[in-house]
Amino acid sequence: NQALVTMLGYDSKEQLLAANRASVIIPNLRKNVPSALGSGERLQIEPIELDWMRKDGAILKVRLGGRGAFDENGNFSGYEIIAVDITEQRTLEDHLRHQADSDSLTGLANHRRLFEVLQAEICRSKRTGREFSLLLLDLDELKKINDRLGHLIGDRALCRLGQILQDCCRSVDTAARHGGDEFALVLPETGWAAATLVARRICELLGRDTEAPALSVSVGLASFPKDAGTIGTLLYAADKSLYEMKAAQPRATSAGHST
């Protein structure tokens, strides 16, 4: 099929067949196509999605479907397979999904995604018996920065903090913009002591940032299930810790903790 040859970036059917001798480009369909449904001329293949490799090494997302093929005597002779390139469709869907879960300014998870992560971590903690921690961070004096230097510099300050949070994250952690000048960091399987070290690391990195204006954060910390039993009470405990710290140390350099 010339359309398939073109889709995969080859010049001819023979070139594609030669390149696919080890079933690297197009995996063996007998192992991937699900059992056909029905019988006779209505024999159908359930649509499935597979990854195929183009000649240039790019991966295509391909949807396969088809039906049974029969000879002139009505005997089943194989399948007619229809392959559709859905790479752009899946890329667009991933992009839209990312936009729905992300803060448009910082690129961090947004408020909606933060709540999803917290719910998932609470369920996991209840299942495994292992705690997790939540850091809430408030960028100090953002209003003064906006009033004195303008909102572009204020937005840049938010992005600077967001980048430092990303730099301090493990792959399993989730950094989020909770709203306005407030951020959150969810630390799975992390107790209070380890979370405090993360908070101090964030403050140290922000303190070493040479870009003007100088920035600082107030940090609140709460752990599940030690400090709370629900999303609401966990956020309340971390928020209470943050404002206790803010009241005691307006330009904080270490983490607070709810008691």
Side-chain angles (χ1 to χ4, degrees), residues 103 105-106 108-111 114-115 118 134-143 146 154 157-159 161-162 165 175-185 216-221 234-244 246:
D103 173 60
L105 177 63
T106 63
L108 301 181
N110 59 16
H111 182 80
L114 172 63
F115 272 71
L118 287 173
L134 169 68
L135 296 180
L136 286 185
L137 306 98
D138 189 85
L139 184 59
D140 295 327
E141 300 182 338
L142 178 63
K143 185 178 185 306
N146 285 331
L158 293 169
C159 290
L161 176 55
L165 292 182
R177 187 178 178 198
H178 191 30
D181 57 0
E182 194 167 275
F183 292 75
L185 184 58
S216 66
V217 289
S218 299
V219 186
L221 166 60
L234 184 67
L235 286 166
Y236 175 80
D239 197 55
K240 181 173 180 288
S241 170
L242 186 153
Y243 279 97
E244 285 174 352
K246 190 179 275 285

Side-chain angles (χ1 to χ4, degrees), residues 4 34 49 64 125 135 186 204 211:
L4 179 60
E49 294 182 14
L64 297 181
S125 179
L135 296 180
V186 182
E204 289 169 1
E211 185 175 339

Side-chain angles (χ1 to χ4, degrees), residues 117 121 124 169-175 185-190:
V117 171
E121 287 306 318
R124 174 159 44 187
C169 275
R170 303 167 298 176
S171 60
V172 296
D173 299 335
T174 300
L185 184 58
V186 182
L187 303 168
E189 300 194 359
T190 303

Side-chain angles (χ1 to χ4, degrees), residues 14-29:
E14 292 71 26
Q15 188 183 60
L16 173 57
L17 290 174
N20 193 49
R21 285 197 182 108
S23 296
V24 173
I25 301 164
I26 303 177
N28 189 332
L29 293 182

Side-chain angles (χ1 to χ4, degrees), residues 29 32-34 45-50 62-65 86:
L29 293 182
N32 291 283
V33 174
I45 295 174
E46 294 182 39
I48 60 169
E49 294 182 14
L50 299 173
V62 179
R63 180 188 292 124
L64 297 181
I86 58 170

Side-chain angles (χ1 to χ4, degrees), residues 224-238:
F224 182 95
K226 180 179 181 294
D227 298 316
T230 65
I231 292 177
T233 55
L234 184 67
L235 286 166
Y236 175 80

Side-chain angles (χ1 to χ4, degrees), residues 89-106:
Q89 176 185 339
R90 289 292 176 260
T91 299
L92 177 59
E93 289 172 353
D94 290 344
H95 176 67
L96 293 175
R97 193 176 298 111
H98 177 74
Q99 283 188 321
D101 289 341
S102 301
D103 173 60
S104 59
L105 177 63
T106 63

